[in-house]
Coordinates of all heavy atoms in Angstrom, one line a residue:
M1 N 0.8 -1.2 0.0 CA 0.0 0.0 0.0 C 0.9 1.2 0.0 O 2.0 1.2 0.3 CB -0.9 0.0 1.2 CG -2.0 -1.1 1.1 SD -3.2 -1.0 2.4 CE -2.3 -1.8 3.7
K2 N 0.3 2.3 -0.4 CA 1.0 3.6 -0.6 C 0.8 4.6 0.5 O -0.3 4.8 1.0 CB 0.6 4.2 -1.9 CG 1.4 5.4 -2.3 CD 1.3 5.7 -3.8 CE 0.3 6.8 -4.1 NZ 0.2 7.1 -5.5
I3 N 1.9 5.3 0.8 CA 1.9 6.4 1.7 C 2.8 7.5 1.1 O 3.9 7.3 0.6 CB 2.6 6.1 3.1 CG1 1.7 5.1 3.8 CG2 2.8 7.3 3.9 CD1 2.4 4.7 5.2
I4 N 2.2 8.7 1.1 CA 3.0 9.9 0.6 C 3.3 10.8 1.8 O 2.4 11.3 2.4 CB 2.3 10.6 -0.5 CG1 2.1 9.7 -1.7 CG2 3.1 11.9 -0.9 CD1 1.2 10.3 -2.8
I5 N 4.6 10.9 2.2 CA 4.9 11.6 3.4 C 6.0 12.6 3.1 O 7.0 12.4 2.5 CB 5.3 10.6 4.5 CG1 5.7 11.3 5.8 CG2 6.5 9.7 4.1 CD1 5.8 10.4 7.0
T6 N 5.7 13.8 3.6 CA 6.7 14.9 3.5 C 7.5 15.0 4.8 O 6.9 15.1 5.9 CB 6.0 16.3 3.2 OG1 5.3 16.1 2.0 CG2 7.0 17.4 3.1
D7 N 8.8 14.9 4.7 CA 9.6 14.8 6.0 C 9.8 16.2 6.5 O 9.3 17.2 6.0 CB 10.9 14.1 5.7 CG 11.9 14.8 4.8 OD1 11.8 16.1 4.7 OD2 12.8 14.1 4.3
Q8 N 10.6 16.3 7.6 CA 10.8 17.5 8.3 C 11.5 18.6 7.5 O 11.5 19.8 7.8 CB 11.6 17.2 9.6 CG 11.5 18.2 10.7 CD 12.1 17.7 11.9 OE1 13.2 17.1 11.9 NE2 11.5 17.9 13.1
H9 N 12.3 18.1 6.5 CA 13.0 19.1 5.6 C 12.2 19.5 4.4 O 12.7 20.2 3.5 CB 14.3 18.4 5.1 CG 15.1 17.9 6.3 ND1 15.5 18.7 7.3 CD2 15.6 16.7 6.5 CE1 16.2 18.0 8.2 NE2 16.3 16.7 7.7
G10 N 11.0 19.0 4.3 CA 10.1 19.4 3.2 C 10.3 18.5 2.0 O 9.7 18.8 0.9
E11 N 11.0 17.4 2.1 CA 11.2 16.4 1.0 C 10.1 15.4 1.0 O 9.8 14.8 2.1 CB 12.5 15.8 1.2 CG 13.0 15.1 -0.1 CD 14.4 14.5 0.1 OE1 15.2 15.1 0.8 OE2 14.6 13.4 -0.4
Q12 N 9.5 15.2 -0.1 CA 8.4 14.2 -0.2 C 8.9 12.8 -0.6 O 9.7 12.7 -1.4 CB 7.4 14.7 -1.3 CG 6.0 14.0 -1.2 CD 5.0 14.5 -2.2 OE1 5.1 14.2 -3.4 NE2 4.1 15.3 -1.7
H13 N 8.3 11.9 0.1 CA 8.7 10.5 -0.1 C 7.4 9.7 -0.4 O 6.4 9.8 0.2 CB 9.3 9.9 1.2 CG 10.5 10.6 1.7 ND1 11.8 10.3 1.4 CD2 10.5 11.7 2.5 CE1 12.6 11.1 2.0 NE2 11.9 12.0 2.6
E14 N 7.5 8.8 -1.5 CA 6.4 8.0 -1.8 C 6.8 6.5 -1.4 O 7.8 6.0 -1.9 CB 6.2 8.0 -3.3 CG 4.8 7.7 -3.7 CD 4.5 8.0 -5.1 OE1 4.2 9.2 -5.4 OE2 4.5 7.1 -5.9
I15 N 6.1 6.0 -0.4 CA 6.4 4.7 0.1 C 5.4 3.7 -0.5 O 4.2 4.0 -0.4 CB 6.4 4.6 1.6 CG1 7.5 5.5 2.2 CG2 6.5 3.2 2.1 CD1 7.4 5.8 3.7
L16 N 5.8 2.7 -1.2 CA 4.9 1.9 -2.0 C 4.7 0.5 -1.4 O 3.8 -0.2 -1.8 CB 5.4 1.8 -3.4 CG 5.5 3.1 -4.2 CD1 6.1 2.9 -5.6 CD2 4.2 3.8 -4.3
D17 N 5.5 0.2 -0.4 CA 5.4 -1.1 0.2 C 4.9 -1.2 1.7 O 5.4 -2.0 2.4 CB 6.7 -1.9 0.0 CG 7.9 -1.1 0.7 OD1 7.7 0.0 1.2 OD2 9.0 -1.7 0.8
A18 N 4.1 -0.2 2.0 CA 3.5 -0.2 3.4 C 2.6 -1.4 3.6 O 1.8 -1.7 2.7 CB 2.8 1.1 3.6
N19 N 2.7 -2.0 4.7 CA 1.9 -3.2 5.0 C 0.7 -2.9 5.9 O 0.8 -2.1 6.8 CB 2.7 -4.3 5.7 CG 3.8 -4.8 4.9 OD1 3.6 -5.1 3.7 ND2 5.0 -4.9 5.4
E20 N -0.4 -3.6 5.6 CA -1.6 -3.4 6.4 C -1.2 -3.8 7.9 O -0.5 -4.8 8.1 CB -2.7 -4.3 5.9 CG -4.0 -4.1 6.5 CD -5.1 -4.8 5.7 OE1 -4.9 -5.5 4.8 OE2 -6.3 -4.5 6.0
G21 N -1.7 -3.1 8.8 CA -1.5 -3.4 10.2 C -0.3 -2.7 10.8 O -0.2 -2.5 12.1
E22 N 0.6 -2.2 10.0 CA 1.7 -1.4 10.5 C 1.2 0.0 10.9 O 0.3 0.5 10.2 CB 2.8 -1.3 9.5 CG 3.7 -2.5 9.2 CD 4.8 -2.2 8.2 OE1 4.5 -1.7 7.1 OE2 5.9 -2.4 8.6
T23 N 1.9 0.6 11.8 CA 1.5 2.0 12.1 C 2.3 2.9 11.1 O 3.3 2.5 10.6 CB 1.8 2.4 13.5 OG1 3.2 2.4 13.7 CG2 1.1 1.5 14.5
L24 N 1.7 4.1 11.0 CA 2.4 5.1 10.1 C 3.8 5.4 10.7 O 4.8 5.6 9.9 CB 1.6 6.4 10.0 CG 0.2 6.3 9.3 CD1 -0.4 7.6 9.3 CD2 0.4 5.7 7.9
M25 N 3.9 5.4 12.0 CA 5.3 5.6 12.6 C 6.2 4.5 12.2 O 7.4 4.8 11.9 CB 5.1 5.7 14.1 CG 6.4 5.9 14.9 SD 7.3 4.4 15.2 CE 6.5 3.7 16.6
Q26 N 5.8 3.2 12.3 CA 6.7 2.1 12.0 C 7.1 2.2 10.6 O 8.3 2.0 10.2 CB 5.9 0.8 12.3 CG 5.7 0.5 13.7 CD 4.8 -0.7 14.0 OE1 3.9 -0.9 13.2 NE2 5.1 -1.5 15.0
I27 N 6.2 2.5 9.7 CA 6.5 2.6 8.3 C 7.5 3.7 8.0 O 8.5 3.5 7.3 CB 5.2 2.8 7.4 CG1 4.2 1.6 7.6 CG2 5.5 3.1 6.0 CD1 2.8 1.9 7.2
A28 N 7.3 4.9 8.6 CA 8.1 6.0 8.4 C 9.5 5.8 9.0 O 10.5 6.1 8.4 CB 7.5 7.3 8.9
S29 N 9.5 5.3 10.2 CA 10.9 5.2 10.9 C 11.7 4.1 10.3 O 12.9 4.2 10.2 CB 10.7 5.1 12.4 OG 10.0 4.1 12.8
A30 N 11.1 3.1 9.8 CA 11.8 2.0 9.1 C 12.5 2.5 7.8 O 13.5 1.9 7.4 CB 10.9 0.8 8.8
R31 N 12.0 3.6 7.3 CA 12.6 4.1 6.1 C 13.4 5.4 6.4 O 13.8 6.1 5.4 CB 11.5 4.4 5.1 CG 11.0 3.0 4.5 CD 9.6 3.1 4.1 NE 9.1 1.8 3.6 CZ 8.6 0.9 4.5 NH1 8.4 1.2 5.8 NH2 8.2 -0.3 4.0
G32 N 13.6 5.7 7.6 CA 14.4 6.8 8.0 C 13.9 8.2 7.7 O 14.6 9.1 7.4
I33 N 12.6 8.3 7.7 CA 11.9 9.6 7.4 C 12.4 10.6 8.4 O 12.1 10.4 9.6 CB 10.4 9.5 7.3 CG1 10.0 8.5 6.2 CG2 9.8 10.9 7.1 CD1 10.4 8.9 4.8
A34 N 12.9 11.7 8.0 CA 13.5 12.7 8.9 C 12.3 13.4 9.7 O 11.3 13.8 9.2 CB 14.2 13.8 8.2
G35 N 12.5 13.4 11.1 CA 11.6 14.1 11.9 C 10.7 13.1 12.7 O 10.0 13.5 13.7
I36 N 10.7 11.8 12.3 CA 9.9 10.8 13.1 C 10.9 10.2 14.1 O 11.7 9.3 13.7 CB 9.3 9.8 12.2 CG1 8.3 10.4 11.2 CG2 8.7 8.7 13.0 CD1 7.0 10.8 11.8
L37 N 11.0 10.7 15.3 CA 11.9 10.2 16.2 C 11.4 9.0 17.0 O 12.2 8.1 17.3 CB 12.3 11.3 17.2 CG 12.8 12.6 16.6 CD1 13.1 13.7 17.6 CD2 14.0 12.4 15.7
A38 N 10.1 9.0 17.3 CA 9.5 7.9 18.0 C 10.3 7.4 19.2 O 10.5 6.2 19.4 CB 9.3 6.7 17.0
D39 N 10.6 8.3 20.1 CA 11.4 8.1 21.3 C 10.8 7.0 22.2 O 11.5 6.2 22.8 CB 11.6 9.3 22.1 CG 12.5 10.3 21.4 OD1 13.3 9.9 20.5 OD2 12.5 11.5 21.8
C40 N 9.5 6.9 22.2 CA 8.9 5.9 23.2 C 8.6 4.6 22.5 O 8.1 3.6 23.1 CB 7.6 6.5 23.8 SG 6.2 6.4 22.7
G41 N 8.9 4.5 21.2 CA 8.8 3.2 20.5 C 7.3 2.9 20.1 O 7.0 1.7 19.8
G42 N 6.4 3.9 20.2 CA 5.1 3.6 19.8 C 4.1 3.4 21.0 O 3.0 3.0 20.8
A43 N 4.5 3.8 22.2 CA 3.7 3.6 23.4 C 2.8 4.8 23.6 O 2.1 4.8 24.7 CB 4.6 3.3 24.6
C44 N 2.7 5.7 22.7 CA 1.8 6.9 22.9 C 2.2 7.7 24.1 O 1.4 8.2 24.9 CB 0.4 6.5 22.9 SG -0.7 7.9 22.6
S45 N 3.5 7.8 24.3 CA 4.0 8.6 25.5 C 5.1 9.6 25.3 O 5.8 9.9 26.2 CB 4.3 7.6 26.7 OG 5.3 6.8 26.3
C46 N 5.3 10.0 24.0 CA 6.4 10.9 23.8 C 6.0 12.1 22.8 O 6.6 13.2 22.9 CB 7.6 10.2 23.2 SG 7.5 9.7 21.5
A47 N 5.1 11.8 21.9 CA 4.7 12.8 20.9 C 5.8 13.2 19.9 O 5.6 14.2 19.2 CB 4.1 14.1 21.5
T48 N 6.8 12.4 19.8 CA 7.9 12.7 18.8 C 7.6 12.0 17.5 O 8.5 11.9 16.6 CB 9.3 12.3 19.3 OG1 9.3 10.9 19.5 CG2 9.6 13.0 20.6
C49 N 6.4 11.6 17.3 CA 6.0 11.0 16.0 C 4.8 11.8 15.4 O 4.1 11.3 14.6 CB 5.6 9.5 16.2 SG 4.1 9.3 17.2
H50 N 4.7 13.0 15.9 CA 3.6 13.9 15.5 C 3.6 14.2 14.0 O 4.6 14.6 13.4 CB 3.8 15.2 16.3 CG 2.7 16.2 16.0 ND1 2.9 17.6 16.3 CD2 1.5 16.2 15.5 CE1 1.9 18.3 16.0 NE2 0.9 17.4 15.5
V51 N 2.4 14.0 13.4 CA 2.3 14.3 11.9 C 1.0 15.1 11.7 O 0.1 15.1 12.6 CB 2.2 13.0 11.1 CG1 3.6 12.2 11.1 CG2 1.1 12.1 11.5
Y52 N 0.9 15.7 10.5 CA -0.3 16.3 10.1 C -0.9 15.5 8.9 O -0.2 15.3 7.9 CB -0.1 17.7 9.6 CG 0.6 18.7 10.5 CD1 1.7 19.4 10.2 CD2 0.1 18.8 11.8 CE1 2.3 20.3 11.0 CE2 0.8 19.7 12.7 CZ 1.8 20.4 12.3 OH 2.5 21.3 13.2
I53 N -2.0 14.9 9.2 CA -2.7 14.2 8.1 C -3.3 15.2 7.1 O -3.9 16.2 7.5 CB -3.8 13.3 8.7 CG1 -3.3 12.4 9.8 CG2 -4.5 12.5 7.6 CD1 -2.4 11.3 9.5
D54 N -3.1 14.9 5.8 CA -3.7 15.8 4.8 C -5.3 15.8 5.1 O -5.9 14.8 5.3 CB -3.5 15.2 3.4 CG -4.0 16.1 2.3 OD1 -5.2 16.0 2.1 OD2 -3.2 16.8 1.7
P55 N -5.8 17.0 5.0 CA -7.3 17.2 5.3 C -8.2 16.2 4.5 O -9.2 15.8 5.0 CB -7.6 18.6 5.0 CG -6.3 19.3 5.1 CD -5.2 18.3 4.7
D56 N -7.8 15.9 3.3 CA -8.6 14.9 2.5 C -8.6 13.5 3.1 O -9.4 12.7 2.7 CB -8.0 14.9 1.0 CG -8.3 16.1 0.3 OD1 -9.1 16.9 0.7 OD2 -7.7 16.3 -0.8
W57 N -7.6 13.2 4.0 CA -7.5 11.9 4.5 C -7.9 11.8 6.0 O -7.9 10.7 6.6 CB -6.1 11.4 4.3 CG -5.8 11.1 2.9 CD1 -5.3 11.9 1.9 CD2 -6.0 9.8 2.2 NE1 -5.2 11.3 0.7 CE2 -5.6 10.0 0.9 CE3 -6.5 8.6 2.6 CZ2 -5.7 9.0 0.0 CZ3 -6.5 7.5 1.7 CH2 -6.1 7.7 0.4
S58 N -8.0 12.9 6.6 CA -8.2 12.9 8.1 C -9.4 12.2 8.6 O -9.4 11.5 9.6 CB -8.1 14.3 8.7 OG -9.1 15.1 8.3
D59 N -10.5 12.3 7.8 CA -11.7 11.6 8.2 C -11.5 10.1 8.2 O -11.9 9.4 9.2 CB -12.9 11.9 7.3 CG -13.5 13.2 7.7 OD1 -13.1 13.8 8.6 OD2 -14.5 13.6 6.9
R60 N -10.8 9.6 7.2 CA -10.5 8.2 7.1 C -9.6 7.7 8.2 O -9.7 6.6 8.7 CB -10.0 7.8 5.7 CG -11.1 7.5 4.7 CD -10.6 7.4 3.3 NE -10.4 8.7 2.7 CZ -10.1 8.9 1.5 NH1 -9.8 7.9 0.7 NH2 -10.0 10.1 1.0
A61 N -8.6 8.6 8.5 CA -7.6 8.2 9.6 C -8.3 8.2 11.0 O -7.9 7.5 11.9 CB -6.5 9.2 9.6
G62 N -9.4 9.0 11.1 CA -10.1 9.0 12.4 C -9.5 10.0 13.4 O -8.4 10.5 13.2
P63 N -10.3 10.3 14.4 CA -9.8 11.2 15.5 C -8.9 10.5 16.5 O -8.9 9.2 16.6 CB -11.1 11.6 16.1 CG -12.0 10.4 16.0 CD -11.6 9.7 14.7
P64 N -8.1 11.2 17.2 CA -7.3 10.6 18.3 C -8.2 10.2 19.4 O -9.2 10.8 19.7 CB -6.3 11.7 18.7 CG -7.0 13.0 18.3 CD -7.8 12.7 17.1
N65 N -7.8 9.1 20.2 CA -8.5 8.8 21.4 C -8.1 9.7 22.5 O -7.2 10.5 22.4 CB -8.4 7.3 21.7 CG -7.0 6.9 22.1 OD1 -6.2 7.7 22.4 ND2 -6.7 5.6 21.9
D66 N -8.6 9.4 23.7 CA -8.3 10.3 24.8 C -6.9 10.4 25.2 O -6.3 11.4 25.6 CB -9.2 9.9 26.1 CG -10.7 10.2 25.8 OD1 -11.0 10.9 24.9 OD2 -11.5 9.8 26.7
V67 N -6.2 9.2 25.2 CA -4.8 9.1 25.6 C -4.0 9.9 24.6 O -3.1 10.6 25.0 CB -4.4 7.6 25.7 CG1 -2.9 7.5 26.0 CG2 -5.2 6.9 26.7
E68 N -4.2 9.7 23.3 CA -3.5 10.4 22.3 C -3.7 11.9 22.4 O -2.8 12.7 22.3 CB -3.9 9.8 20.9 CG -3.0 10.5 19.8 CD -3.5 10.0 18.4 OE1 -4.2 8.9 18.3 OE2 -3.1 10.7 17.4
E69 N -5.0 12.2 22.6 CA -5.3 13.6 22.7 C -4.5 14.3 23.9 O -4.0 15.4 23.7 CB -6.8 13.7 23.1 CG -7.4 15.1 23.0 CD -8.2 15.3 21.7 OE1 -9.1 14.5 21.4 OE2 -7.9 16.3 21.0
A70 N -4.4 13.6 25.0 CA -3.6 14.1 26.1 C -2.2 14.3 25.7 O -1.5 15.3 26.1 CB -3.8 13.2 27.3
M71 N -1.7 13.4 25.0 CA -0.2 13.5 24.6 C 0.0 14.6 23.6 O 1.0 15.2 23.6 CB 0.2 12.1 24.0 CG 1.6 11.8 24.0 SD 2.5 12.2 25.5 CE 1.6 11.2 26.7
L72 N -1.0 14.8 22.7 CA -0.9 15.9 21.7 C -0.8 17.3 22.4 O -0.3 18.2 21.9 CB -2.1 15.8 20.8 CG -2.0 14.8 19.7 CD1 -3.3 14.6 18.9 CD2 -0.9 15.1 18.6
D73 N -1.3 17.3 23.7 CA -1.2 18.6 24.4 C 0.3 19.0 24.6 O 0.6 20.2 24.8 CB -1.8 18.4 25.8 CG -3.3 18.6 25.7 OD1 -3.8 19.0 24.7 OD2 -4.0 18.3 26.7
M74 N 1.2 18.0 24.6 CA 2.6 18.3 24.7 C 3.1 19.1 23.5 O 4.2 19.7 23.6 CB 3.4 17.0 24.8 CG 3.2 16.3 26.2 SD 4.1 14.7 26.2 CE 5.8 15.2 26.0
V75 N 2.4 19.0 22.4 CA 2.9 19.7 21.2 C 1.9 20.8 20.8 O 1.7 21.1 19.6 CB 3.2 18.7 20.0 CG1 4.4 17.9 20.3 CG2 2.0 17.8 19.8
A76 N 1.2 21.3 21.8 CA 0.1 22.3 21.6 C 0.6 23.5 20.8 O -0.2 24.0 20.0 CB -0.4 22.8 23.0
D77 N 1.9 23.8 20.9 CA 2.3 25.0 20.1 C 2.3 24.8 18.6 O 2.3 25.8 17.9 CB 3.8 25.4 20.6 CG 4.7 24.3 20.6 OD1 4.3 23.1 20.8 OD2 5.9 24.5 20.4
V78 N 2.4 23.6 18.2 CA 2.4 23.3 16.7 C 1.2 22.4 16.3 O 1.2 21.8 15.2 CB 3.7 22.7 16.3 CG1 4.9 23.6 16.3 CG2 4.0 21.4 17.1
L79 N 0.2 22.4 17.2 CA -1.0 21.5 16.9 C -1.8 22.1 15.7 O -1.9 23.3 15.6 CB -1.8 21.5 18.2 CG -2.7 20.2 18.3 CD1 -1.9 19.0 18.4 CD2 -3.5 20.4 19.6
Q80 N -2.3 21.2 14.9 CA -3.2 21.6 13.8 C -4.4 20.7 13.9 O -4.4 19.6 14.5 CB -2.5 21.4 12.5 CG -1.4 22.4 12.3 CD -0.9 22.5 10.8 OE1 -1.4 21.8 9.9 NE2 0.1 23.3 10.6
P81 N -5.5 21.1 13.2 CA -6.8 20.3 13.3 C -6.6 18.8 12.9 O -7.3 18.0 13.4 CB -7.7 21.0 12.4 CG -7.2 22.4 12.3 CD -5.7 22.3 12.5
T82 N -5.6 18.5 12.0 CA -5.5 17.2 11.6 C -4.3 16.5 12.2 O -3.8 15.5 11.7 CB -5.4 17.1 10.0 OG1 -4.2 17.7 9.6 CG2 -6.6 17.7 9.4
S83 N -3.8 17.0 13.3 CA -2.7 16.4 14.0 C -3.0 15.0 14.5 O -4.1 14.8 15.0 CB -2.3 17.3 15.3 OG -1.6 18.4 14.9
R84 N -2.0 14.1 14.3 CA -2.1 12.8 14.9 C -0.7 12.3 15.3 O 0.3 12.8 14.8 CB -2.7 11.7 13.9 CG -4.1 11.9 13.5 CD -5.1 11.6 14.6 NE -4.9 10.4 15.3 CZ -5.5 9.2 15.0 NH1 -6.3 9.1 14.0 NH2 -5.2 8.2 15.8
L85 N -0.7 11.4 16.3 CA 0.5 10.7 16.6 C 0.6 9.5 15.6 O -0.3 8.7 15.7 CB 0.6 10.3 18.0 CG 0.6 11.5 19.0 CD1 0.6 11.0 20.5 CD2 1.7 12.4 18.8
S86 N 1.6 9.5 14.8 CA 1.7 8.4 13.8 C 1.8 7.0 14.3 O 1.5 6.1 13.6 CB 2.8 8.7 12.8 OG 4.0 8.8 13.4
C87 N 2.2 6.9 15.6 CA 2.2 5.5 16.1 C 0.8 5.0 16.5 O 0.6 3.8 16.8 CB 3.1 5.4 17.4 SG 2.5 6.3 18.8
Q88 N -0.2 5.9 16.4 CA -1.5 5.5 16.8 C -2.4 5.4 15.5 O -3.6 5.2 15.6 CB -2.1 6.5 17.7 CG -1.3 6.7 19.0 CD -1.2 5.4 19.8 OE1 -2.2 4.8 20.1 NE2 0.0 4.9 20.0
V89 N -1.9 5.5 14.3 CA -2.6 5.3 13.1 C -2.1 4.0 12.4 O -1.0 4.0 12.0 CB -2.5 6.5 12.2 CG1 -3.4 6.3 10.9 CG2 -2.9 7.8 12.9
R90 N -3.0 3.1 12.3 CA -2.6 1.8 11.7 C -3.0 1.7 10.2 O -4.2 2.1 9.9 CB -3.3 0.7 12.5 CG -2.4 -0.5 12.7 CD -2.9 -1.4 13.8 NE -2.3 -1.2 15.1 CZ -1.1 -1.5 15.5 NH1 -0.3 -2.1 14.6 NH2 -0.6 -1.3 16.7
M91 N -2.2 1.2 9.4 CA -2.5 1.1 8.0 C -3.6 0.1 7.7 O -3.6 -1.0 8.2 CB -1.3 0.6 7.2 CG -0.6 1.5 6.1 SD -1.4 3.0 5.7 CE -1.6 2.7 3.9
T92 N -4.6 0.6 6.9 CA -5.7 -0.3 6.5 C -5.9 -0.1 5.0 O -5.3 0.9 4.4 CB -7.0 0.1 7.2 OG1 -7.3 1.4 6.8 CG2 -7.0 0.0 8.7
R93 N -6.6 -0.9 4.4 CA -6.9 -0.7 2.9 C -7.5 0.7 2.7 O -7.2 1.3 1.6 CB -7.9 -1.8 2.4 CG -7.4 -3.2 2.5 CD -6.6 -3.5 1.1 NE -5.6 -4.5 1.4 CZ -4.5 -4.6 0.8 NH1 -4.2 -3.8 -0.2 NH2 -3.6 -5.6 1.1
E94 N -8.3 1.1 3.6 CA -9.0 2.4 3.4 C -7.9 3.6 3.4 O -8.2 4.6 2.8 CB -9.9 2.6 4.6 CG -11.1 3.5 4.3 CD -12.0 3.8 5.5 OE1 -11.6 3.3 6.6 OE2 -13.0 4.5 5.3
L95 N -6.8 3.4 4.0 CA -5.8 4.4 4.0 C -4.7 4.3 2.9 O -3.7 5.0 2.9 CB -5.1 4.4 5.4 CG -6.0 4.8 6.6 CD1 -5.2 4.8 7.9 CD2 -6.7 6.1 6.4
D96 N -4.9 3.4 2.0 CA -4.0 3.2 0.9 C -3.9 4.5 0.1 O -4.9 4.9 -0.4 CB -4.5 2.0 0.0 CG -3.4 1.7 -1.0 OD1 -2.3 2.2 -1.0 OD2 -3.8 0.8 -1.9
G97 N -2.7 5.1 0.1 CA -2.5 6.4 -0.6 C -2.5 7.6 0.3 O -2.4 8.7 -0.2
I98 N -2.6 7.4 1.6 CA -2.7 8.5 2.5 C -1.5 9.5 2.4 O -0.4 9.1 2.0 CB -2.8 7.9 4.0 CG1 -3.1 9.1 5.0 CG2 -1.5 7.2 4.4 CD1 -3.5 8.6 6.4
V99 N -1.8 10.7 2.6 CA -0.9 11.8 2.4 C -0.7 12.5 3.8 O -1.7 12.8 4.5 CB -1.4 12.9 1.4 CG1 -0.4 14.0 1.3 CG2 -1.6 12.2 0.0
L100 N 0.5 12.6 4.2 CA 0.8 13.3 5.5 C 2.1 14.0 5.5 O 2.9 13.9 4.6 CB 0.7 12.2 6.6 CG 1.8 11.1 6.6 CD1 2.1 10.7 8.0 CD2 1.2 9.9 5.8
R101 N 2.3 14.8 6.6 CA 3.5 15.6 6.7 C 4.0 15.5 8.1 O 3.2 15.5 9.1 CB 3.1 17.1 6.4 CG 4.2 18.1 6.3 CD 3.8 19.3 5.5 NE 2.5 19.9 6.0 CZ 2.4 20.9 6.9 NH1 3.5 21.4 7.4 NH2 1.3 21.4 7.2
V102 N 5.3 15.4 8.3 CA 5.9 15.4 9.6 C 5.8 16.8 10.2 O 6.2 17.8 9.6 CB 7.4 14.9 9.5 CG1 8.0 15.0 10.9 CG2 7.5 13.5 8.9
A103 N 5.3 16.8 11.4 CA 5.2 18.1 12.1 C 6.6 18.5 12.7 O 7.5 17.7 12.9 CB 4.2 18.0 13.3
P104 N 6.8 19.8 12.9 CA 8.1 20.3 13.4 C 8.2 19.8 14.9 O 7.2 19.6 15.6 CB 8.0 21.8 13.4 CG 6.6 22.1 13.1 CD 5.9 20.9 12.6
N105 N 9.4 19.4 15.3 CA 9.6 19.0 16.6 C 10.9 19.6 17.2 O 11.5 20.4 16.6 CB 9.6 17.4 16.8 CG 10.7 16.7 15.9 OD1 11.7 17.3 15.5 ND2 10.4 15.5 15.5
Ligands
FES1 S1 6.3 7.1 19.2 FE1 6.0 8.0 21.1 S2 4.0 8.8 21.0 FE2 4.3 7.9 19.0

């Protein structure tokens, strides 16, 4: 499946071999996408995997749950309406082609 992700330096990457069930964080960090630090390893406790989902895709990605929402408060200064922690978004067929951008950290 496909992901189009713009890294922290503004460089766009097209990832064509994303697997269903992997999180966006796992997919991005396995490919060394700049700006996805993922310090907590995906435990939803660091917010260093913060991304902006393209508005056309944010409904399909869904809203953050309460725990993620609380963690997003840590990055309140750069929060946007489509902010998500990429370790909390799991790839599904519905997200094939998703477009996102790494948030500043
Ligand atoms: S990797 Fe730490 S919150 Fe996502």
Side-chain angles (χ1 to χ4, degrees):
M1 287 188 281
K2 182 162 102 175
I3 292 179
I4 300 172
I5 182 166
T6 301
D7 69 21
Q8 205 172 39
H9 307 304
E11 196 177 322
Q12 195 178 77
H13 304 263
E14 208 170 276
I15 297 170
L16 300 174
D17 58 352
N19 294 313
E20 189 165 10
E22 285 183 305
T23 66
L24 296 181
M25 178 280 276
Q26 289 170 325
I27 294 162
S29 58
R31 287 150 186 91
I33 300 296
I36 299 287
L37 305 178
D39 288 341
C40 77
C44 197
S45 59
C46 73
T48 64
C49 65
H50 179 200
V51 295
Y52 304 131
I53 307 288
D54 184 280
D56 288 346
W57 289 89
S58 65
D59 280 357
R60 271 171 278 184
N65 65 21
D66 290 351
V67 175
E68 183 182 344
E69 191 104 52
M71 201 47 57
L72 282 167
D73 281 348
M74 287 177 62
V75 290
D77 52 329
V78 289
L79 205 61
Q80 290 193 3
T82 66
S83 283
R84 292 294 311 269
L85 296 180
S86 58
C87 68
Q88 301 302 304
V89 182
R90 220 165 263 286
M91 239 358 234
T92 61
R93 293 272 153 209
E94 209 186 1
L95 295 182
D96 188 9
I98 190 168
V99 179
L100 61 149
R101 185 158 55 91
V102 177
N105 54 27

